[in-house]
Amino acid sequence: MYDLTAFQRDILYVIAGQSDPHGLAIKDELEEYYENEVHHGRLYPNLDEVVDKGLVEKGEADKRTNYYTITARGQRELEDRRKWEDQYVDELLSNSE
Protein backbone atom coordinates (compact mmCIF):
# COMPACT_ATOMS: atom_id res chain seq x y z
CA MET A 1 0.00 0.00 0.00
CA TYR A 2 2.93 2.33 0.59
CA ASP A 3 3.41 2.71 -3.15
CA LEU A 4 -0.19 3.73 -3.86
CA THR A 5 -1.37 7.29 -4.19
CA ALA A 6 -4.03 8.56 -1.81
CA PHE A 7 -6.48 8.47 -4.72
CA GLN A 8 -5.68 4.81 -5.38
CA ARG A 9 -6.18 3.99 -1.69
CA ASP A 10 -9.55 5.76 -1.81
CA ILE A 11 -10.48 3.65 -4.83
CA LEU A 12 -9.71 0.52 -2.80
CA TYR A 13 -11.85 1.70 0.11
CA VAL A 14 -14.78 2.43 -2.23
CA ILE A 15 -14.53 -0.94 -3.98
CA ALA A 16 -14.26 -2.76 -0.64
CA GLY A 17 -17.36 -0.99 0.62
CA GLN A 18 -19.57 -1.95 -2.31
CA SER A 19 -20.62 -5.19 -3.91
CA ASP A 20 -18.84 -5.49 -7.28
CA PRO A 21 -19.18 -1.82 -8.23
CA HIS A 22 -18.80 -0.69 -11.82
CA GLY A 23 -16.62 2.26 -12.81
CA LEU A 24 -19.38 4.86 -12.71
CA ALA A 25 -20.50 3.79 -9.22
CA ILE A 26 -16.90 4.17 -8.03
CA LYS A 27 -16.68 7.55 -9.77
CA ASP A 28 -19.92 8.74 -8.15
CA GLU A 29 -18.77 7.72 -4.68
CA LEU A 30 -15.41 9.44 -5.10
CA GLU A 31 -17.06 12.60 -6.40
CA GLU A 32 -19.31 12.68 -3.37
CA TYR A 33 -16.30 12.33 -1.04
CA TYR A 34 -14.08 14.82 -2.89
CA GLU A 35 -16.96 17.20 -3.60
CA ASN A 36 -15.44 17.58 -7.04
CA GLU A 37 -15.71 15.97 -10.45
CA VAL A 38 -13.50 12.93 -11.01
CA HIS A 39 -12.64 12.73 -14.70
CA HIS A 40 -12.57 9.43 -16.55
CA GLY A 41 -8.97 10.17 -17.52
CA ARG A 42 -8.04 10.11 -13.85
CA LEU A 43 -10.26 7.27 -12.65
CA TYR A 44 -9.67 4.52 -15.18
CA PRO A 45 -5.85 4.63 -15.33
CA ASN A 46 -5.83 4.45 -11.52
CA LEU A 47 -8.28 1.54 -11.56
CA ASP A 48 -5.99 -0.21 -14.04
CA GLU A 49 -3.03 0.45 -11.74
CA VAL A 50 -4.64 -1.22 -8.70
CA VAL A 51 -5.70 -4.11 -10.94
CA ASP A 52 -2.11 -4.44 -12.24
CA LYS A 53 -0.83 -4.48 -8.65
CA GLY A 54 -3.13 -7.43 -7.86
CA LEU A 55 -5.22 -5.52 -5.31
CA VAL A 56 -8.39 -5.46 -7.39
CA GLU A 57 -9.87 -7.85 -9.89
CA LYS A 58 -11.67 -6.54 -12.96
CA GLY A 59 -14.54 -8.45 -14.50
CA GLU A 60 -16.85 -7.81 -17.41
CA ALA A 61 -20.55 -7.34 -16.66
CA ASP A 62 -21.32 -6.74 -20.34
CA LYS A 63 -19.51 -5.42 -23.40
CA ARG A 64 -19.55 -1.85 -22.05
CA THR A 65 -19.41 -2.30 -18.29
CA ASN A 66 -16.67 -3.64 -16.05
CA TYR A 67 -17.04 -4.43 -12.38
CA TYR A 68 -14.35 -4.46 -9.73
CA THR A 69 -13.76 -6.59 -6.63
CA ILE A 70 -11.10 -6.51 -3.96
CA THR A 71 -8.73 -9.46 -4.09
CA ALA A 72 -7.57 -11.33 -0.98
CA ARG A 73 -4.29 -9.42 -1.25
CA GLY A 74 -6.16 -6.13 -1.52
CA GLN A 75 -8.17 -6.98 1.58
CA ARG A 76 -4.98 -7.82 3.51
CA GLU A 77 -3.43 -4.55 2.40
CA LEU A 78 -6.49 -2.60 3.56
CA GLU A 79 -6.46 -4.39 6.92
CA ASP A 80 -2.74 -3.67 7.38
CA ARG A 81 -3.25 -0.03 6.45
CA ARG A 82 -6.12 0.26 8.91
CA LYS A 83 -4.00 -1.18 11.73
CA TRP A 84 -1.18 1.21 10.88
CA GLU A 85 -3.55 4.21 10.87
CA ASP A 86 -5.26 3.09 14.08
CA GLN A 87 -2.01 3.09 16.04
CA TYR A 88 -1.76 6.82 15.40
CA VAL A 89 -5.34 7.99 15.64
CA ASP A 90 -7.17 5.63 18.01
CA GLU A 91 -6.19 7.52 21.13
CA LEU A 92 -6.91 10.87 19.52
CA LEU A 93 -10.36 9.79 18.38
CA SER A 94 -11.28 8.13 21.67
CA ASN A 95 -10.27 11.30 23.59
CA SER A 96 -12.47 13.49 21.41
CA GLU A 97 -15.68 11.59 22.21
Side-chain angles (χ1 to χ4, degrees), residues 14-91:
V14 169
I15 293 171
Q18 297 184 6
S19 179
D20 300 336
H22 52 83
L24 289 178
I26 296 166
K27 179 181 181 294
D28 290 345
E29 198 66 32
L30 291 168
E31 286 178 340
E32 184 176 323
Y33 175 70
Y34 288 124
E35 297 179 351
N36 234 326
E37 184 177 359
V38 173
H39 297 282
H40 286 79
R42 180 177 186 202
L43 177 63
Y44 289 101
N46 281 286
L47 278 167
D48 289 341
E49 183 73 22
V50 294
V51 167
D52 290 345
K53 290 180 182 287
L55 303 170
V56 170
E57 192 171 277
K58 178 174 153 180
E60 193 175 286
D62 58 46
K63 292 182 191 262
R64 293 180 38 142
T65 308
N66 294 318
Y67 65 87
Y68 298 88
T69 56
I70 292 290
T71 63
R73 178 174 172 225
Q75 185 172 341
R76 280 192 312 274
E77 294 286 342
L78 284 173
E79 289 167 358
D80 289 346
R81 174 70 184 203
R82 190 67 179 259
K83 287 177 193 172
W84 182 82
E85 289 173 346
D86 286 349
Q87 74 179 338
Y88 295 104
V89 296
D90 267 355
E91 187 174 325

